[in-house]
Amino acid sequence: MLGSIAALSRLNSRLSRISLWLAGSGLVAMTIIVFAQVFMRYVMNDSLLWVEPVAILLMSWFIFLGSAVGVHESFHMGFDVLLFFLPEGAGTWLRALSDLAVLTFSIGMAVYGWQLMERTWDSTLPVIRLPGGFSYMPLFVGGVLMTLFVLEHLLNRLSGRKAEAEPDAEDILMTEA
Protein backbone atom coordinates (compact mmCIF):
# COMPACT_ATOMS: atom_id res chain seq x y z
CA MET A 1 0.00 0.00 0.00
CA LEU A 2 2.84 2.41 0.77
CA GLY A 3 4.19 1.89 -2.76
CA SER A 4 0.87 2.93 -4.29
CA ILE A 5 0.68 5.96 -2.00
CA ALA A 6 4.20 6.93 -3.05
CA ALA A 7 3.22 6.57 -6.72
CA LEU A 8 0.14 8.73 -6.14
CA SER A 9 2.32 11.30 -4.35
CA ARG A 10 4.72 11.46 -7.31
CA LEU A 11 1.83 11.80 -9.76
CA ASN A 12 0.18 14.47 -7.63
CA SER A 13 3.42 16.42 -7.30
CA ARG A 14 3.77 16.51 -11.08
CA LEU A 15 0.12 17.45 -11.56
CA SER A 16 0.43 20.18 -8.94
CA ARG A 17 3.54 21.62 -10.58
CA ILE A 18 1.89 21.57 -14.02
CA SER A 19 -1.26 23.15 -12.57
CA LEU A 20 0.77 25.88 -10.91
CA TRP A 21 2.59 26.69 -14.15
CA LEU A 22 -0.65 26.71 -16.13
CA ALA A 23 -2.35 28.92 -13.56
CA GLY A 24 0.56 31.34 -13.57
CA SER A 25 0.66 31.36 -17.36
CA GLY A 26 -3.08 32.01 -17.47
CA LEU A 27 -2.69 34.95 -15.11
CA VAL A 28 0.09 36.42 -17.27
CA ALA A 29 -1.91 35.81 -20.47
CA MET A 30 -5.00 37.44 -18.98
CA THR A 31 -2.96 40.44 -17.88
CA ILE A 32 -1.49 40.82 -21.36
CA ILE A 33 -4.81 40.61 -23.19
CA VAL A 34 -6.51 43.01 -20.77
CA PHE A 35 -3.62 45.43 -21.29
CA ALA A 36 -4.03 44.98 -25.06
CA GLN A 37 -7.74 45.78 -24.70
CA VAL A 38 -7.02 48.96 -22.73
CA PHE A 39 -4.43 50.00 -25.30
CA MET A 40 -6.77 49.28 -28.21
CA ARG A 41 -9.72 51.04 -26.61
CA TYR A 42 -8.03 54.20 -25.34
CA VAL A 43 -5.10 54.62 -27.72
CA MET A 44 -6.36 53.12 -30.96
CA ASN A 45 -10.04 53.92 -30.28
CA ASP A 46 -11.03 50.38 -31.29
CA SER A 47 -12.06 47.53 -28.99
CA LEU A 48 -11.25 43.85 -29.25
CA LEU A 49 -14.51 41.95 -28.87
CA TRP A 50 -13.00 38.65 -27.74
CA VAL A 51 -11.03 39.98 -24.74
CA GLU A 52 -13.71 39.82 -22.05
CA PRO A 53 -14.87 36.21 -22.62
CA VAL A 54 -11.29 34.98 -23.04
CA ALA A 55 -10.18 36.84 -19.89
CA ILE A 56 -13.06 35.32 -17.91
CA LEU A 57 -12.24 31.83 -19.19
CA LEU A 58 -8.55 32.27 -18.32
CA MET A 59 -9.49 33.59 -14.89
CA SER A 60 -11.66 30.51 -14.28
CA TRP A 61 -8.75 28.27 -15.19
CA PHE A 62 -6.18 29.95 -12.97
CA ILE A 63 -8.60 30.18 -10.04
CA PHE A 64 -9.52 26.49 -10.08
CA LEU A 65 -6.02 25.25 -10.91
CA GLY A 66 -4.59 27.50 -8.20
CA SER A 67 -7.19 26.22 -5.75
CA ALA A 68 -6.19 22.66 -6.52
CA VAL A 69 -2.53 23.52 -5.91
CA GLY A 70 -3.62 25.07 -2.60
CA VAL A 71 -5.23 21.77 -1.62
CA HIS A 72 -2.07 19.88 -2.62
CA GLU A 73 0.07 22.21 -0.52
CA SER A 74 -2.50 22.24 2.34
CA PHE A 75 -3.14 25.96 2.05
CA HIS A 76 -6.89 25.39 2.11
CA MET A 77 -9.07 26.31 5.05
CA GLY A 78 -8.95 24.03 8.03
CA PHE A 79 -9.43 23.90 11.77
CA ASP A 80 -6.01 25.39 12.57
CA VAL A 81 -7.29 27.77 15.25
CA LEU A 82 -8.68 24.86 17.27
CA LEU A 83 -5.23 23.23 17.27
CA PHE A 84 -4.07 25.90 19.72
CA PHE A 85 -6.65 24.87 22.32
CA LEU A 86 -7.01 21.10 21.92
CA PRO A 87 -4.63 18.33 22.94
CA GLU A 88 -1.90 17.36 20.49
CA GLY A 89 -3.60 14.17 19.30
CA ALA A 90 -6.68 16.09 18.19
CA GLY A 91 -4.73 17.67 15.33
CA THR A 92 -4.68 14.46 13.33
CA TRP A 93 -8.43 14.05 13.67
CA LEU A 94 -9.18 17.68 12.86
CA ARG A 95 -6.95 17.58 9.77
CA ALA A 96 -8.63 14.37 8.64
CA LEU A 97 -12.05 15.96 9.20
CA SER A 98 -10.92 18.98 7.18
CA ASP A 99 -9.70 16.67 4.41
CA LEU A 100 -13.04 14.86 4.38
CA ALA A 101 -14.85 18.19 4.03
CA VAL A 102 -12.55 19.18 1.15
CA LEU A 103 -13.03 15.72 -0.42
CA THR A 104 -16.80 16.08 -0.30
CA PHE A 105 -16.62 19.56 -1.79
CA SER A 106 -14.15 18.55 -4.53
CA ILE A 107 -16.18 15.52 -5.56
CA GLY A 108 -19.21 17.80 -5.81
CA MET A 109 -17.19 20.21 -7.96
CA ALA A 110 -16.12 17.41 -10.29
CA VAL A 111 -19.56 15.79 -10.58
CA TYR A 112 -21.54 18.98 -11.03
CA GLY A 113 -18.83 20.51 -13.22
CA TRP A 114 -19.08 17.47 -15.50
CA GLN A 115 -22.88 17.73 -15.60
CA LEU A 116 -22.73 21.43 -16.44
CA MET A 117 -20.12 20.77 -19.13
CA GLU A 118 -22.21 18.00 -20.61
CA ARG A 119 -25.46 20.01 -20.60
CA THR A 120 -23.94 23.12 -22.17
CA TRP A 121 -21.62 21.47 -24.69
CA ASP A 122 -24.05 21.91 -27.59
CA SER A 123 -24.38 25.65 -27.03
CA THR A 124 -21.78 28.08 -28.35
CA LEU A 125 -19.95 30.77 -26.42
CA PRO A 126 -20.57 34.05 -28.23
CA VAL A 127 -17.68 35.81 -29.94
CA ILE A 128 -15.07 33.09 -29.26
CA ARG A 129 -17.16 30.31 -30.85
CA LEU A 130 -16.19 27.55 -28.44
CA PRO A 131 -18.63 24.95 -27.12
CA GLY A 132 -20.44 26.23 -24.05
CA GLY A 133 -19.04 23.39 -21.96
CA PHE A 134 -15.64 25.10 -22.02
CA SER A 135 -17.01 27.53 -19.42
CA TYR A 136 -17.38 24.71 -16.90
CA MET A 137 -14.30 22.68 -17.78
CA PRO A 138 -12.13 24.47 -15.16
CA LEU A 139 -14.67 23.55 -12.46
CA PHE A 140 -14.53 19.89 -13.47
CA VAL A 141 -10.73 19.72 -13.83
CA GLY A 142 -10.19 21.61 -10.57
CA GLY A 143 -12.56 19.25 -8.77
CA VAL A 144 -10.79 16.16 -10.12
CA LEU A 145 -7.37 17.53 -9.15
CA MET A 146 -8.55 18.53 -5.67
CA THR A 147 -10.03 15.06 -5.22
CA LEU A 148 -6.74 13.40 -6.16
CA PHE A 149 -4.74 15.70 -3.92
CA VAL A 150 -6.93 15.33 -0.85
CA LEU A 151 -7.14 11.55 -1.33
CA GLU A 152 -3.35 11.48 -1.09
CA HIS A 153 -3.54 13.37 2.21
CA LEU A 154 -6.15 10.97 3.59
CA LEU A 155 -4.24 7.87 2.48
CA ASN A 156 -1.08 9.21 4.10
CA ARG A 157 -2.98 9.80 7.34
CA LEU A 158 -4.47 6.30 7.27
CA SER A 159 -1.03 4.80 6.76
CA GLY A 160 0.33 6.74 9.73
CA ARG A 161 2.49 9.12 7.71
CA LYS A 162 2.15 12.89 7.81
CA ALA A 163 -0.08 13.99 4.96
CA GLU A 164 1.84 17.19 4.43
CA ALA A 165 4.15 19.50 6.23
CA GLU A 166 2.00 20.20 9.26
CA PRO A 167 3.22 23.26 11.09
CA ASP A 168 2.73 23.31 14.81
CA ALA A 169 1.32 26.32 16.64
CA GLU A 170 4.78 27.76 17.27
CA ASP A 171 5.61 27.66 13.55
CA ILE A 172 2.35 29.42 12.72
CA LEU A 173 2.96 32.13 15.30
CA MET A 174 6.52 32.69 14.08
CA THR A 175 5.46 33.12 10.43
CA GLU A 176 2.68 35.55 11.29
CA ALA A 177 4.89 37.87 13.36
Side-chain angles (χ1 to χ4, degrees):
M1 179 166 164
L2 289 178
S4 59
I5 295 173
L8 179 62
S9 293
R10 285 190 302 275
L11 172 68
N12 282 351
S13 290
R14 286 187 191 107
L15 289 173
S16 178
R17 196 169 329 141
I18 291 167
S19 297
L20 185 61
W21 277 98
L22 288 173
S25 299
L27 178 60
V28 169
M30 187 188 81
T31 303
I32 290 169
I33 66 169
V34 168
F35 173 78
Q37 172 67 352
V38 170
F39 177 80
M40 291 297 293
R41 179 178 290 163
Y42 294 108
V43 175
M44 305 302 285
N45 203 24
D46 188 26
S47 289
L48 303 169
L49 298 177
W50 53 269
V51 169
E52 184 180 351
V54 170
I56 290 171
L57 197 55
L58 285 171
M59 187 171 58
S60 296
W61 276 106
F62 72 72
I63 286 171
F64 286 110
L65 290 175
S67 297
V69 172
V71 169
H72 183 260
E73 300 297 324
S74 295
F75 292 148
H76 58 85
M77 294 175 62
F79 301 104
D80 294 338
V81 173
L82 289 176
L83 297 177
F84 291 113
F85 304 107
L86 295 175
E88 214 171 293
T92 303
W93 290 102
L94 284 175
R95 286 187 175 93
L97 181 62
S98 176
D99 287 342
L100 288 171
V102 172
L103 179 66
T104 303
F105 181 77
S106 62
I107 289 172
M109 281 177 53
V111 168
Y112 291 115
W114 177 263
Q115 289 176 359
L116 287 166
M117 252 178 31
E118 193 175 51
R119 290 178 184 165
T120 59
W121 198 261
D122 293 333
S123 64
T124 302
L125 294 173
V127 181
I128 55 177
R129 301 284 179 215
L130 289 173
F134 270 87
S135 296
Y136 300 104
M137 196 178 287
L139 178 66
F140 169 71
V141 171
V144 169
L145 289 171
M146 285 181 189
T147 300
L148 283 173
F149 296 158
V150 78
L151 278 175
E152 175 192 353
H153 294 320
L154 285 168
L155 290 172
N156 277 326
R157 282 188 216 295
L158 287 173
S159 69
R161 297 169 47 195
K162 278 192 173 183
E164 68 277 331
E166 297 174 353
D168 59 13
E170 191 174 302
D171 291 336
I172 293 169
L173 291 174
M174 295 302 288
T175 58
E176 291 179 359

